[in-house]
Amino acid sequence: MCRPPSPPPNTATAFYRLDEQIGFLLRKANQRHLTIFAEAIPEVTPRQFAALARLLEMGPLSQNRLGRETAMDAATIKGVIGRLQARDLVTTEPDPADRRRLTVDLTASGRGFIEACLTRGRAVTEKTLEPLSSSEARQLLALIEKLT
């Protein structure tokens, strides 16, 4: 199949190439990661997994704090918690110190589920980073952490 010739580069395209932009490259890497995640852990979304993993790591948290700890805004974490609660993976209770605040905790089934998924979660990370050497993977993670 014949392709039309590419237009000659102009000043704008010489200055800005999409394939060199951090946001574009991060989005492509994230899309790859999300595909790997969905194949390995189809039972939950990455955001749901993050909430469950953080609760396992830190114990009960206020809904607001859980959102901050998982980099989700208030509306997003509320939806995530609602869906996890509907599946009996988390519970919510009013905070005894401040009844306006909800405390989120894992249920027994939620704890069992996330503990059983941790190995698959680690494998997702390893597969996402597979094209890199171990040194490159450590360097990439350190650099991304520096950006956040």
Side-chain angles (χ1 to χ4, degrees):
M1 175 179 232
C2 287
R3 293 178 138 193
S6 298
N10 62 36
T11 306
T13 58
F15 173 74
Y16 187 95
R17 293 187 36 82
L18 185 60
D19 291 333
E20 297 171 350
Q21 305 311 308
I22 185 67
F24 179 70
L25 294 172
L26 286 173
R27 186 167 52 81
K28 283 179 62 175
N30 187 53
Q31 286 172 335
R32 179 174 179 277
H33 171 76
L34 293 175
T35 299
I36 293 166
F37 184 97
E39 290 171 1
I41 310 173
E43 303 93 337
V44 293
T45 67
R47 288 178 176 159
Q48 291 169 348
F49 184 89
L52 294 169
R54 190 62 86 196
L55 288 169
L56 181 65
E57 181 183 342
M58 299 182 78
L61 294 170
S62 73
Q63 180 174 300
N64 190 308
R65 172 106 187 261
L66 181 57
R68 287 192 313 272
E69 293 289 339
T70 55
M72 290 183 236
D73 62 44
T76 301
I77 193 64
K78 184 175 193 274
V80 166
I81 291 168
R83 287 183 287 283
L84 291 172
Q85 196 171 18
R87 294 183 56 197
D88 192 38
L89 297 175
V90 301
T91 60
T92 59
E93 294 181 8
D95 185 320
D98 182 350
R99 300 200 54 82
R100 298 169 296 173
R101 183 181 310 180
L102 280 180
T103 298
V104 184
D105 197 5
L106 293 169
T107 62
S109 60
R111 179 175 296 282
F113 173 79
I114 192 61
E115 286 175 347
C117 284
L118 293 178
T119 301
R120 288 187 285 161
R122 185 67 191 157
V124 168
T125 295
E126 290 170 3
K127 188 166 183 178
T128 300
L129 296 172
E130 196 173 61
L132 306 176
S133 70
S134 60
S135 172
E136 289 171 329
R138 283 191 306 275
Q139 184 179 17
L140 175 65
L141 292 172
L143 291 170
I144 290 174
E145 188 173 352
K146 203 172 184 180
L147 289 174
T148 63

